[in-house]
Amino acid sequence: MFFVFSSQIVIAWSNSNSDAQGTRSVELIVGGDFVVTMNDAQPVIKNGAVAIKDGKIIAVDKKDQILASYKADRTLPGEGMVLMPGLVNGHSHSAMVLFRGLADDLALEDWLLNYIFPAEAKFVDENFIRIGEQLACWEMIRGGTTTFVDMYFKPDVASEVVDECGLRAIIAPSSIDFPSPNFQGWDDAFAAAVDFVKRWKGKNPRIIPAIAPHAPYTVSPEHLTQAIEAARQYDVPLTIHLAETKTEVEDVQQRYNATPVQHLENLGFLEPRVFAAHVVWPNESEIALMAKRGIGVIHNPDSNLKLASGFAPIPAMLKAGIKVGLGTDGASSNNDLDMWEAIRLTAFIHKGTTLDPTAVPAKTVLRMATLGGAEALGLADKIGAIKVGLQADLIQVQLSEPHLTPIYDAISHLVYTADAQDVDTVIVDGKVLMHKREMLTLNPDRIRLEATSIAERIDAELRPN
């Protein structure tokens, strides 16, 4: 049996799931004055709603039609709200929130080699990761991020936090050729990463393990080859920093007689399971090559600006057909996990660098933060849009504040005006993680106290006087 609602086909359950009036039972109905779907078949629905069953979207339509056809255990009406897909943060080092503001106003190589790597070696342990991950998840939920990529250390601890707080994540333990927290170098770090992948693949539907060699300038060709072969063997994603700075390009060119992108191509590394962070310095032929190989690119405008890494050629990448998403990078180089800031900067930067106000329109940027990010991560069959059959990863953004009044175009407001404080409700897999700005799966007071305690110890040891 099928019901057709405004061109939206929904497969009905058996009569045992319907009452005498023919309404179907669902767990949750969520509405909005504007439903921004990121689905070309139904771009923006005024006074719309979504019906959710077993964590998935089973209907999208006008609110009155949804309410007439479905009976929910809970309804979040959404008056004065935009309902949209949750934001996808395609690149972060989540627990680095505990290093927020530790070393600012430095070039990437100086910041990383002389400050961050030594601090990680001294302070990163399981407790650091647990509290840092909780703080990061609290920040991301408050800002409407529902899926994120975490490229850092202690992946079991990070995964446990993600499991508890309800977010969706790709967890990618970083592997590098020199010592890192609890590892002597590549061999033991990579072995632990592969073990993590084997143990966590398929364990939790919201957590995807991944392989993460740090970068072409910190990982040898032999080890990069090991990494991509492992990703293929276990059929998992692979993420890597790539072509982030001019210094990296010059270093890799000197070592391997190839630019970073071409170096990976020479190793047979580039394929659709790969998504690369930054990619600030590709040339025209490399953009075409990345599009041909089907890799994803995660643009991190905040970090690239703060570290003076440069301006990634995002309009050219989009024109070439590259799958481009957005990320925040770590909070020690940003200094936050605010995807709304990344959205707005992406729109503004590329208008300014191209002298073309149409270079990256609002709808394109919002897509990069949602469905485009999902595509870059290989998750577009699960998340990124409000569409029947996808997971119910949704946010409600309130429209009542003065900076959001009046409203002519919901997408314009989301890109150019909204910020993290406007997110009212966050839902992942049909479970409400935040409602009316109240956290439901984390304890903010405890997290704040424990994060402050760790920061005081770091500050005392690094600056004893």
Side-chain angles (χ1 to χ4, degrees), residues 111-430:
W111 169 82
L112 189 63
L113 297 175
N114 297 319
Y115 294 88
I116 297 304
F117 283 165
E120 287 175 337
K122 189 174 183 65
F123 298 110
V124 172
D125 56 19
E126 287 196 3
N127 187 59
F128 180 102
I129 296 296
R130 187 176 306 280
I131 302 307
E133 197 78 18
Q134 289 174 348
L135 178 59
C137 289
W138 173 24
E139 182 178 350
M140 285 189 281
I141 292 171
R142 285 289 294 257
T145 292
T146 54
T147 295
F148 69 103
V149 176
D150 188 9
M151 185 184 188
Y152 210 48
F153 305 111
K154 310 286 184 184
D156 287 284
V157 178
S159 298
E160 290 165 5
V161 173
V162 172
D163 181 32
E164 293 164 1
C165 78
L167 285 174
R168 191 181 306 279
I170 293 177
I171 305 292
S174 183
S175 301
I176 198 164
D177 276 358
F178 45 82
S180 58
N182 296 117
F183 297 117
Q184 295 301 308
W186 173 267
D187 290 342
D188 54 347
F190 183 64
V194 170
D195 180 62
F196 168 74
V197 166
K198 290 162 65 176
R199 288 185 291 104
W200 276 85
K201 185 179 179 183
K203 184 176 180 179
N204 184 316
R206 289 185 288 103
I207 298 172
I208 298 172
I211 300 293
H214 178 263
Y217 67 97
T218 55
V219 178
S220 71
E222 295 78 13
H223 294 157
L224 289 170
T225 299
Q226 283 185 5
I228 191 62
E229 288 176 349
R232 291 171 186 147
Q233 179 180 351
Y234 298 105
D235 191 24
V236 294
L238 183 148
T239 185
I240 187 170
H241 299 92
L242 181 61
E244 184 174 357
T245 66
K246 289 186 73 174
T247 300
E248 175 191 339
V249 174
E250 292 165 358
D251 180 43
V252 174
Q253 180 78 50
Q254 184 175 10
R255 287 198 223 174
Y256 307 116
N257 197 32
T259 61
V261 175
Q262 188 60 52
H263 176 54
L264 294 187
E265 169 68 5
N266 294 345
L267 296 173
F269 193 96
L270 301 179
E271 58 184 69
R273 77 176 65 250
V274 173
F275 56 94
H278 302 293
V279 197
V280 177
W281 294 98
N283 59 39
E284 187 175 337
S285 64
E286 289 171 332
I287 290 172
L289 175 61
M290 290 187 292
K292 180 179 179 181
R293 295 290 182 245
I295 76 165
V297 168
I298 304 301
H299 181 39
N300 299 269
D302 305 68
S303 174
N304 295 159
L305 285 172
K306 184 167 184 271
L307 295 170
S309 298
F311 301 100
I314 296 302
M317 292 189 200
L318 292 169
K319 185 177 180 180
I322 293 175
K323 299 170 291 186
V324 182
L326 297 183
T328 60
D329 208 351
S332 60
S333 63
N334 181 327
N335 291 7
D336 56 41
L337 302 177
D338 184 353
M339 282 290 291
W340 300 97
E341 188 175 79
I343 289 169
R344 190 171 297 111
L345 280 176
T346 297
F348 289 163
I349 286 169
H350 302 293
K351 296 177 192 303
T353 57
T354 62
L355 302 181
D356 178 4
T358 70
V360 185
K363 183 178 179 182
T364 298
V365 179
L366 194 63
R367 190 182 190 281
M368 291 167 66
T370 53
L371 183 57
E375 290 172 345
L377 304 183
L379 297 177
D381 61 335
K382 295 181 175 64
I383 62 167
I386 298 180
K387 183 178 179 182
V388 169
L390 297 189
Q391 300 301 127
D393 292 10
L394 311 169
I395 62 175
Q396 288 177 319
V397 181
Q398 63 85 20
L399 298 170
S400 61
E401 295 299 318
H403 65 282
L404 292 160
T405 306
I407 180 166
Y408 301 109
D409 184 323
I411 291 175
S412 171
H413 264 19
L414 291 170
V415 171
Y416 297 122
T417 309
D419 60 39
Q421 302 305 312
D422 297 317
V423 178
D424 178 271
T425 299
V426 175
I427 300 164
V428 177
D429 250 10

